[in-house]
Amino acid sequence: MWYQEHVSLYGWTSFRVPTTAAYGAICSHPEELPYVHKLLPLREHPVVVLGNGSNILFATDYPGIVLRPLFRGIHLLEYDEDTVQVEVAAGEPWHEFVYTCLRNGWYGLENLALIPGTVGAAPVHNIGAYGVEVSQFLEGVRVWDFTTEQLCWLPAEELLLRYRSSILRETLLGKVLVTHVRFRLYRRARPKVDYPELARFLSDSGIAYPTAEDVFRAVCAIRRCKLPDPAHIPNAGSFFKNPVLPLSVAEELRQRHPALPTFPHGSDTVKIPAGWLLEQCGWKGKRIGNVGVWQHHALVIVNYGAATGEEILRFAELLWRSVYDRFGITLEPEVLILPREAWNPSSR
Ligand code: EPU
């Protein structure tokens, strides 16, 4: 285990902002976790667990402990005729895990290719893309409980997995650390290609009966085209969630904005693409100082190199305000903003 006081978080998050944490620690093995309690002032300070920091914005310096588990390992636990059960350590890079699954003939996660971050963070945010959410394949997680100083098992049913949300991101945030994630995957590919952009890409490529490998390649190609690579252009993917509105409200909006796209979500609600709302407000490709909106996708805020967390936050508030003023819709951040009280755009 490595730890240090007053740690720079610059290289620890994909937004690459020059914030610091009062303490930073890195654990390479779950057996080191009891030492975190011995060596760091956990009772006096808040804790946040980071994977690759690809979905977080530290708006200010963090007065607590930032802990990174780098645990590695992928274990096949059991299999039957149709499925396999796999347990994966939290620090495994997500995309590499998806690729390993494909090579081993464990199917289901292809649509989630190229999502940055670690396996441990996947259930926290219930990552999703191109018609699939990780919740569909989760059996549960093993966590270290900072209060009891014990490992315990949380089955998927207890995780309250919803669109980009879970109990791990809400009430259990800073209270537990995910050490392992257990998945149940298919042994026969069942390519899911109903997401319109994915279907279009495959059909334009002349692929009528896509394999899981085709889906994996298509998703990688679409993402590379639309989304900035955080390794080169600091960003945290979609900054806001897509708002979910009752059908009646969406219908009323469509009267005023006939081009409004909608995606089905449950029986009496629809999802509105926040990217469309922001593009209508003129934000696509716009830049103010060190911060801007990605030229190929209006839902992605990028740091052009020297932005502070505070600057990104203020910029996001401008986006929020313009959507609110034009459409009456309250956007909710998809990126986890810390400290939580920093996000309060309606007060400005
Ligand atoms: N759109 C625009 N202008 C834009 C961007 C999008 O009009 O600049 C509209 C288009 O109508 C487009 C629709 O938004 O058809 C949907 O766009 P896209 O397929 O890119 O998906 P998204 O809704 O913007 C969500 C996830 C992404 C995920 C994609 C694909 C959220 C918050 N984001 O984005 O996840 O990759 O769907 O499934 O749900 C992430 O979480 O960081 C992320 C990138």
Side-chain angles (χ1 to χ4, degrees):
M1 177 184 154
W2 170 94
Y3 75 101
Q4 193 179 298
E5 273 185 51
H6 197 71
V7 166
S8 164
L9 298 175
Y10 181 80
W12 284 21
T13 73
S14 61
F15 256 135
R16 295 200 176 266
V17 289
T19 38
T20 61
Y23 298 87
I26 296 178
C27 288
S28 310
H29 196 277
E31 280 169 15
E32 295 173 354
L33 287 167
Y35 296 99
V36 175
H37 292 263
K38 289 199 172 68
L39 299 169
L40 292 165
L42 257 98
R43 283 187 205 288
E44 297 89 55
H45 290 80
V47 185
V48 62
V49 179
L50 278 194
N52 264 357
S54 52
N55 203 33
I56 195 163
L57 174 66
F58 286 99
T60 58
D61 287 341
Y62 188 65
I65 301 164
V66 177
L67 185 55
R68 295 186 71 188
L70 299 187
F71 319 147
R72 302 295 294 260
I74 300 176
H75 298 286
L76 175 62
L77 296 184
E78 58 172 55
Y79 60 90
D80 58 29
E81 210 180 310
D82 300 318
T83 65
V84 289
Q85 202 185 118
V86 187
E87 187 166 278
V88 189
E92 287 290 336
W94 175 261
H95 176 71
E96 283 177 30
F97 167 58
V98 172
Y99 187 56
T100 301
C101 290
L102 201 59
R103 279 203 328 257
N104 285 324
W106 307 334
Y107 300 112
L109 301 177
E110 311 76 66
N111 300 49
L112 306 182
L114 222 57
I115 295 183
T118 58
V119 167
V124 176
H125 308 288
N126 187 17
I127 59 170
Y130 303 101
V132 169
E133 271 187 4
V134 76
S135 55
Q136 293 163 245
F137 299 95
L138 279 180
E139 292 274 287
V141 293
R142 282 209 277 151
V143 298
W144 174 260
D145 184 325
F146 291 117
T147 313
T148 61
E149 301 183 28
Q150 302 278 332
L151 285 170
C152 62
W153 167 251
L154 295 176
E157 311 80 76
E158 287 179 22
L159 297 179
L160 306 181
L161 293 148
R162 296 179 301 271
Y163 168 54
R164 290 300 197 282
S165 169
S166 77
I167 197 171
L168 300 163
R169 187 180 153 139
E170 301 299 331
T171 46
L172 292 184
L173 186 77
K175 302 218 163 41
V176 300
L177 172 151
V178 174
T179 64
H180 295 85
V181 184
R182 210 176 280 181
F183 300 89
R184 187 167 294 274
L185 302 166
Y186 302 127
R187 293 186 66 193
R188 266 182 285 272
R190 302 182 190 186
K192 186 158 177 7
V193 293
D194 46 0
Y195 194 85
E197 195 177 7
L198 180 57
R200 210 176 313 124
F201 184 96
L202 289 163
S203 124
D204 290 351
S205 310
I207 301 172
Y209 301 100
T211 62
E213 286 76 9
D214 291 329
V215 173
F216 176 89
R217 276 192 293 270
V219 167
C220 290
I222 296 171
R223 289 186 76 100
R224 285 201 176 102
C225 223
K226 293 180 79 160
L227 300 170
D229 179 351
H232 303 292
I233 299 167
N235 76 88
S238 304
F239 194 90
F240 295 102
K241 292 183 189 177
N242 287 327
V244 175
L245 303 179
L247 272 173
S248 55
V249 176
E251 213 27 70
E252 197 209 311
L253 257 176
R254 209 202 291 272
Q255 304 284 320
R256 282 184 280 136
H257 307 279
L260 178 79
T262 55
F263 287 77
H265 186 267
S267 56
D268 50 5
T269 53
V270 286
K271 240 189 225 173
I272 309 281
W276 185 86
L277 299 171
L278 289 162
E279 184 171 345
Q280 298 306 302
C281 293
W283 282 108
K284 200 169 186 171
K286 239 195 189 151
R287 177 174 175 171
I288 302 179
N290 292 314
V291 194
V293 169
W294 185 236
Q295 55 193 327
H296 304 301
H297 205 297
L299 195 47
V300 182
I301 295 181
V302 296
N303 172 3
Y304 282 107
T308 62
E310 177 89 16
E311 270 179 281
I312 295 175
L313 189 76
R314 296 287 162 258
F315 185 83
E317 286 173 354
L318 295 177
L319 270 58
W320 182 94
R321 171 59 60 192
S322 61
V323 167
Y324 184 75
D325 289 347
R326 174 135 184 219
F327 297 99
I329 292 177
T330 312
L331 292 180
E332 198 186 317
E334 198 266 335
V335 167
L336 180 64
I337 298 173
L338 291 180
R340 289 216 157 185
E341 48 299 352
W343 180 252
N344 190 9
S346 55
S347 68
R348 286 177 214 284

